[in-house]
Amino acid sequence: MRIVGGKYRGRSLLGPKSDAIRPTSDRLRESLFNVLVHGYGDPCDGARVMDLFAGTGALGLEALSRGAAYAAFVDQSAEARGLIRGNVDAVGLAGVTGLLKRDATKLGPLAPFEPFTLAFCDPPYRKGLGERALASARDGGWLAPDALVVLEEAGDVAVAVPEGFVTEERREAGETQLLFLRRA
């Protein structure tokens, strides 16, 4: 695994030792960020990014490499938090990141943080966790008005987009789907 674009392009990232963490592949991350740059006016530039079910932190780190101002990584797994810490330290981004040990489906209120303008949600597939996490982020005030959200899920799953989100587009990549949502 590596960062595929931006200031830190080519930097290696630590990967999981178990199957409990399923990182987004380099190829899919590259496609995802190409869609963001060319279809959404480069939402990384100056963004406050939230990476839900962060795993290795690759999505948030990629956003920071491409100009995001801050990234918060949310994961309750000890293995994931260790990987995220190692990757943040390896790239030298400790000053512009936060690591939250939380269940992404039960975020609670945002305070004292500022809302996020870009969010990635890459939960374990086929469990409905993405929808629950987005509802939790919405209810806790974690997302700024008009925030862009990218939800990754298995391609054969019918995602029930929570109230308060509008689907901008859906992309398929192999056995994965990417939903680009806007916080209404």
Side-chain angles (χ1 to χ4, degrees):
M1 286 184 39
R2 62 186 174 83
I3 294 177
V4 295
K7 183 177 180 180
Y8 304 107
R9 181 183 184 151
R11 293 278 185 97
S12 292
L13 298 174
L14 300 170
K17 302 272 191 261
S18 73
D19 291 337
I21 298 173
R22 178 201 38 78
T24 302
S25 71
D26 291 357
R27 177 178 276 183
L28 183 55
R29 258 185 296 114
E30 185 170 20
S31 295
L32 162 61
F33 280 89
N34 283 338
V35 170
L36 290 176
V37 167
H38 298 292
Y40 295 90
D42 195 9
C44 291
D45 188 32
R48 288 182 49 77
V49 175
M50 180 169 55
D51 189 348
L52 297 168
F53 305 97
T56 63
L59 289 167
L61 290 168
E62 191 74 44
L64 288 167
S65 181
R66 294 168 183 258
Y70 179 82
F73 302 95
V74 178
D75 209 302
Q76 63 182 358
S77 157
E79 179 186 2
R81 290 192 318 277
L83 287 169
I84 294 164
R85 276 189 208 97
N87 286 329
V88 164
D89 290 345
V91 182
L93 292 170
V96 293
T97 61
L99 180 55
L100 304 171
K101 177 186 175 184
R102 291 192 186 197
D103 179 341
T105 66
K106 299 174 186 172
L107 291 169
L110 173 66
F113 302 108
E114 293 178 38
F116 295 90
T117 57
L118 177 61
F120 299 103
C121 186
D122 183 13
Y125 289 175
R126 296 184 173 84
K127 297 182 179 182
L129 295 173
E131 295 96 316
R132 290 174 40 208
L134 295 182
S136 177
R138 174 200 63 209
D139 294 347
W142 289 76
L143 298 170
D146 208 37
L148 183 62
V149 178
V150 180
L151 173 60
E152 185 176 332
E153 180 57 91
D156 60 352
V157 171
V159 176
V161 175
E163 185 177 326
F165 294 91
V166 175
T167 303
E168 298 268 322
E169 72 178 292
R170 179 184 180 274
R171 298 267 181 134
E172 290 186 24
E175 296 181 9
T176 299
Q177 65 177 308
L178 296 173
L179 292 172
F180 294 82
L181 310 171
R182 188 70 70 180
R183 176 71 175 102

